[in-house]
C-alpha cells in the first residue's frame, strides 16, 4: 500500500497488509524545501539564539585547521559504523548516544589522520547536515520508550543515516528516498510492534538482524535499504495475517458472549414469569434462577425460542414450581422421565453426573430423600448450585459515576458509537506521557463494552464506552485516524521544519508550510 510521502506502514496493522515496492515520487506529493533553503533556516536559528543568549558564535581552533574531504569523512564514519554502543558516559552519568556525541567521535577519528599540528574542522555544509539529522532523531525517539528495543535500534542507525545525508542531500527533500523509508520502517515497527513488554520475540530478532546487517554491509549502496525493506515487509505481512486471525477470534468470542448474555436475560425473564407470586423453597428457586436459566439460555442459542426444546424446558420449569408446593408429588409414571430430563439438562451446563442426579432426585422425589444413598445433603447441594460457574458469565467493566458524565463526555460517547470497528486510539500510559496505540476491535451496543487489541491482535482488555469517553475528554485517549495517515518520520520531520521556520523569514516559512 503506497501513500504520499514517506512509506506509511498501514501494512503493520491488522487488516491492511501490503508489500512495499519502490516507486517514483508522486506528482501530487507536497514538495519539501531544498537543502539550501533548510540551511538558511538553520543560519537564521543560530543567529536568533545567539542574540537571545547575548553571546557570540563559538570561536574556532586557534591554530591551523584541516578540512577533511568528503571521502575522508565517509571513511572515518565507516570505522565508527560497526560500533554497537548506544549510550555514552557524560560526567559519570550514562546517557543515550546522540548525533552530537557522534560528531565528537568523528572529529576524534579524523584527528588521527589529520596532518600534524592541524585540527580537523568539518565544512559548514556537513555541520548543518549533522544538526538536521540530530534534530530528526531527537524527534523520532519521542515516539518510543526510552531504553526500549525501538530506541536502541534507532540509535544504532545514526551512523549509516548520517553517511547517507552527508553524501546525498535528496535525503532531506525526497519523501521516497530509500534511506528515509528504511528509517521510517524501523521507527514505526519499533514504536507500534515492539512497544509492549511482551513484544514478539521473532520480530525483535528480525529487526535486530535488519539493523545489524545495515551496520555491517552499508557502504553507500542505497539498494541495500530497498532489499531490507522488502524483507521486513514480507515478515510483517505474515505476522499481520496472524494478528487478523487472533483479533477475529477475540471478536467472535465477544459476540458469542454477547448473544449468550442476551439469551440468558430472556431466559431469566421467562423463568421469572413462571415463578412470580409463588412461595418456593430456596433450593427450588436457586435451581430455577441459576442453573435452569442457563439451560434455557443454551436452548435459545441452539434452537431458538420458538422451538419445541424451548417449550419443553418452560413446561419443565412449571412442573418444578408445582412440585415445590406443599403436598405435591410427581405422578409415578412421569417422575423417572422428568428426573432424567432435569439431570441431563444440568449436565449440559457444566454439572457433574453425580451432582445433577442428586439435584434432580431432590427436586422430583423429595419424599425419597432419606433413602437416597449419596453423601450430599440438601444444604451441600444448595451451596454447590450457588457457587457453580454460570454459563458464559463475564465481569462487566465498571460504569462511571453519574457526575462524571458531563456534556463533553456524553458528546464523546455519541462520537464513539459512530466509529467503525478497527479504529485506532492512542492512550497515555503514565505520568511521563508515554503513549501506546490500541485498536477498537469491537464494542457492544447492548452492554456498552468496548474491546481493544494491540497490533498483534491480542486482546488488551475491555472497558465501558463511557469510561473511554472520559479518557478522551481528559486527554488520556485520542483518536489517531487522521494522524495514522502520516508516518512517524513525516511527523518528526514536520516538527523539525516547524521549529526551524519560526526563525526564518516569510519566504522561508512558506517553503516549509
Amino acid at each position: 500500500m503506497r501513500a504520499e510521502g514517506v512509506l506509511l506502514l498501514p501494512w503493520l496493522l491488522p487488516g491492511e497488509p501490503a508489500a512495499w515496492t519502490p516507486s517514483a515520487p508522486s506528482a501530487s506529493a507536497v514538495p519539501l524545501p531544498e537543502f539550501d533553503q533548510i540551511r538558511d533556516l538553520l543560519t537564521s536559528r543560530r543567529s536568533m539564539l545567539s542574540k537571545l543568549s547575548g553571546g557570540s558564535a563559538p570561536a574556532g581552533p586557534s591554530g591551523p585547521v584541516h578540512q577533511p574531504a568528503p571521502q575522508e569523512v565517509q571513511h572515518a564514519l565507516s570505522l565508527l559504523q560497526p560500533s554497537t554502543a548506544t549510550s555514552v558516559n557524560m560526567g559519570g552519568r550514562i546517557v543515550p548516544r546522540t548525533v552530537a556525541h557522534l560528531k565528537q567521535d568523528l572529529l576524534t577519528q579524523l584527528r588521527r589522520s589529520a596532518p600534524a599540528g592541524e585540527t580537523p574542522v568539518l565544512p559548514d555544509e556537513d555541520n548543518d547536515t549533522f544538526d538536521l539529522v540530530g534534530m530528526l532523531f531527537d524527534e523520532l525517539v519521542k515516539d518510543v520508550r526510552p531504553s526500549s528495543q525501538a530506541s536502541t535500534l534507532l540509535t544504532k542507525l545514526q551512523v549509516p543515516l548520517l553517511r547517507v545525508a552527508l553524501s546525498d542531500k535528496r535525503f532531506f527533500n525526497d519523501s521516497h528516498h530509500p534511506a528515509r523509508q528504511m528509517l521510517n520502517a524501523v521507527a514505526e515497527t519499533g514504536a507500534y510492534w515492539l512497544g509492549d513488554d511482551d513484544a514478539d520475540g521473532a520480530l525483535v530478532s528480525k529487526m535486530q538482524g535488519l539493523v545489524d546487517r545495515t551496520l555491517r554491509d552499508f557502504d553507500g549502496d542505497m539498494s541495500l535499504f530497498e532489499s531490507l525493506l522488502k524483507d521486513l515487509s514480507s515478515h510483517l505481512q505474515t505476522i499481520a495475517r496472524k494478528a487478523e486471525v487472533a483479533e477475529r477470534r477475540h471478536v467472535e468470542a465477544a459476540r458469542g458472549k454477547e448473544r449468550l448474555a442476551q439469551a440468558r436475560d430472556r431466559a431469566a425473564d421467562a423463568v421469572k414469569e413462571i415463578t412470580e407470586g409463588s412461595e418456593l423453597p430456596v433450593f427450588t428457586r436457586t435451581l430455577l434462577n441459576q442453573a435452569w436459566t442457563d439451560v434455557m439460555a443454551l436452548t435459545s442459542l441452539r434452537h431458538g425460542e420458538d422451538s419445541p426444546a424451548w417449550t419443553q424446558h418452560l413446561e419443565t420449569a412449571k412442573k418444578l414450581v408445582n412440585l415445590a408446593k406443599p403436598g405435591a408429588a410427581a405422578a409415578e409414571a412421569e417422575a423417572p422421565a422428568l428426573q432424567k430430563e432435569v439431570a441431563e439438562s444440568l449436565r449440559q451446563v457444566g454439572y457433574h453426573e453425580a451432582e445433577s442426579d442428586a439435584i434432580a432426585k431432590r427436586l422430583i422425589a423429595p419424599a425419597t430423600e432419606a433413602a437416597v444413598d449419596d453423601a450430599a445433603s440438601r444444604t451441600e447441594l444448595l451451596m454447590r448450585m450457588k457457587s457453580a460457574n454460570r454459563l458464559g458469565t463475564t465481569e462487566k467493566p465498571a460504569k462511571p459515576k453519574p457526575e462524571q458524565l458531563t456534556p463533553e463526555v456524553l458528546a464523546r460517547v455519541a462520537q464513539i458509537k459512530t466509529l467503525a470497528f478497527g479504529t485506532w486510539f492512542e492512550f497515555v500510559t503514565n505520568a511521563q506521557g508515554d503513549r501506546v496505540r490500541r485498536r477498537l476491535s469491537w464494542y457492544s451496543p447492548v452492554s456498552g463494552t468496548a474491546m481493544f487489541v494491540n497490533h498483534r491482535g491480542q486482546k488488551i482488555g475491555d472497558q465501558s464506552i463511557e469510561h473511554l469517553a472520559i479518557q478522551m475528554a481528559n486527554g488520556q485517549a485520542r483518536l489517531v485516524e487522521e494522524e495514522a495517515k502520516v508516518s512517524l518520520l513525516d511527523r518528526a520531520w514536520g516538527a523539525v521544519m516547524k521549529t526551524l521556520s519560526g526563525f526564518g523569514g516569510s519566504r522561508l516559512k512558506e517553503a516549509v508550510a
Side-chain angles (χ1 to χ4, degrees):
M1 180 174 182
R2 295 291 305 172
E4 304 297 343
V6 173
L7 172 70
L8 303 184
L9 301 186
W11 41 271
L12 295 180
L13 313 183
E16 302 180 39
W20 180 87
T21 53
S23 67
S26 168
S28 61
V30 177
L32 296 173
E34 296 293 330
F35 182 65
D36 287 342
Q37 292 177 303
I38 303 174
R39 291 190 66 199
D40 288 341
L41 293 175
L42 274 172
T43 301
S44 298
R45 176 175 180 263
R46 291 193 191 101
S47 176
M48 181 65 70
L49 292 177
S50 177
K51 291 178 181 178
L52 291 174
S53 64
S56 57
S62 56
V65 299
H66 168 66
Q67 190 170 91
Q71 57 267 29
E72 289 181 73
V73 174
Q74 287 288 338
H75 176 68
L77 284 172
S78 72
L79 297 177
L80 297 175
Q81 185 169 294
S83 172
T84 58
T86 58
S87 59
V88 295
N89 189 326
M90 296 291 292
R93 189 165 59 96
I94 303 300
V95 298
R97 188 185 75 185
T98 66
V99 171
H101 296 137
L102 280 178
K103 184 177 178 181
Q104 295 304 314
D105 291 342
L106 171 65
L107 291 173
T108 299
Q109 186 68 43
L110 289 171
R111 197 172 291 117
R112 296 170 182 170
S113 58
E118 296 186 7
T119 301
V121 176
L122 293 176
D124 289 344
E125 182 175 302
D126 287 359
N127 280 317
D128 289 345
T129 300
F130 266 84
D131 287 348
L132 286 171
V133 173
M135 294 175 73
L136 176 60
F137 271 92
D138 288 345
E139 288 294 334
L140 275 177
V141 296
K142 291 179 181 179
D143 284 295
V144 299
R145 291 186 303 174
S147 304
S148 65
Q149 290 282 355
S151 177
T152 298
L153 294 173
L154 286 173
T155 302
K156 287 184 175 182
L157 285 176
Q158 289 170 350
V159 174
L161 268 295
L162 273 168
R163 296 183 66 191
V164 170
L166 287 166
S167 64
D168 185 0
K169 296 303 183 286
R170 290 181 303 121
F171 175 80
F172 294 107
N173 59 13
D174 180 359
S175 295
H176 292 82
H177 194 290
R180 279 180 72 116
Q181 299 204 19
M182 167 73 172
L183 180 59
N184 182 66
V186 172
E188 292 202 349
T189 306
Y192 301 147
W193 285 85
L194 305 184
D196 296 326
D197 293 330
D198 58 343
D200 185 328
L203 181 57
V204 171
S205 297
K206 170 63 72 173
M207 296 299 295
Q208 289 174 337
L210 179 146
V211 171
D212 289 345
R213 184 180 167 194
T214 303
L215 299 180
R216 183 182 68 247
D217 296 346
F218 178 70
D219 196 25
D221 184 0
M222 299 300 167
S223 65
L224 174 65
F225 294 123
E226 296 180 2
S227 173
L228 294 175
L229 275 169
K230 289 179 181 178
D231 184 29
L232 176 61
S233 175
S234 175
H235 183 81
L236 285 168
Q237 284 183 68
T238 299
I239 62 175
R241 284 192 291 268
K242 292 179 180 178
E244 284 187 86
V245 172
E247 181 180 10
R248 194 177 304 120
R249 287 173 179 166
H250 287 304
V251 172
E252 289 171 354
R255 285 175 172 159
K257 290 178 181 178
E258 180 84 355
R259 289 193 296 270
L260 177 55
Q262 291 175 301
R264 191 165 51 216
D265 288 343
R266 293 192 297 269
D269 289 341
V271 169
K272 181 180 179 181
E273 186 176 340
I274 292 171
T275 60
E276 203 162 27
S278 300
E279 293 291 336
L280 298 175
V282 175
F283 190 86
T284 302
R285 186 174 294 278
T286 301
L287 180 281
L288 291 172
N289 288 341
Q290 293 189 197
W292 204 252
T293 296
D294 287 350
V295 168
M296 295 188 63
L298 188 61
T299 301
S300 172
L301 290 176
R302 289 178 174 176
H303 307 290
E305 291 162 29
D306 55 354
S307 64
W310 173 269
T311 303
Q312 176 65 29
H313 287 319
L314 275 179
E315 290 302 315
T316 299
K318 292 176 183 178
K319 291 177 182 178
L320 294 176
V321 169
N322 290 330
L323 286 173
K325 294 178 181 179
E332 187 174 343
E334 183 184 26
L338 184 59
Q339 186 172 306
K340 181 180 179 183
E341 179 195 345
V342 171
E344 289 180 348
S345 298
L346 292 178
R347 285 196 282 274
Q348 291 180 7
V349 293
Y351 283 80
H352 297 302
E353 183 174 353
E355 285 181 335
S356 60
D357 287 342
I359 292 171
K361 288 176 183 179
R362 293 180 185 278
L363 286 169
I364 310 306
T368 63
E369 179 180 325
V372 175
D373 186 19
D374 64 69
S377 68
R378 177 181 293 271
T379 301
E380 289 173 332
L381 284 176
L382 178 62
M383 294 305 296
R384 290 184 190 180
M385 283 195 293
K386 287 184 175 181
S387 62
N389 292 327
R390 298 293 304 278
L391 185 64
T393 52
T394 56
E395 187 175 336
K396 294 182 180 179
K399 293 285 186 178
K401 298 177 180 178
E403 58 267 25
Q404 294 179 282
L405 300 179
T406 63
E408 181 182 0
V409 170
L410 293 176
R412 291 291 191 178
V413 169
Q415 178 188 14
I416 293 168
K417 290 181 177 179
T418 67
L419 298 176
F421 297 159
T423 299
W424 286 89
F425 279 77
E426 190 170 71
F427 294 90
V428 177
T429 59
N430 54 34
Q432 289 72 42
D434 291 338
R435 294 165 292 173
V436 64
R437 286 190 179 183
R438 296 290 181 246
R439 180 179 171 97
L440 177 62
S441 186
W442 177 82
Y443 65 81
S444 165
V446 177
S447 65
T449 300
M451 183 178 76
F452 284 89
V453 299
N454 61 14
H455 286 75
R456 296 189 301 283
Q458 297 172 338
K459 182 179 176 180
I460 298 303
D462 297 321
Q463 61 178 304
S464 69
I465 292 177
E466 290 86 354
H467 183 65
L468 176 59
I470 291 172
Q471 288 181 289
M472 294 177 70
N474 292 340
Q476 299 299 302
R478 62 190 178 100
L479 291 168
V480 293
E481 55 184 350
E482 291 303 321
E483 251 186 59
K485 299 176 183 177
V486 181
S487 72
L488 280 186
L489 193 142
D490 269 344
R491 294 213 305 270
W493 187 242
V496 171
M497 299 312 298
K498 183 178 180 180
T499 298
L500 292 178
S501 65
F503 297 94
S506 58
R507 180 180 62 82
L508 291 174
K509 290 181 181 180
E510 291 174 2
V512 298

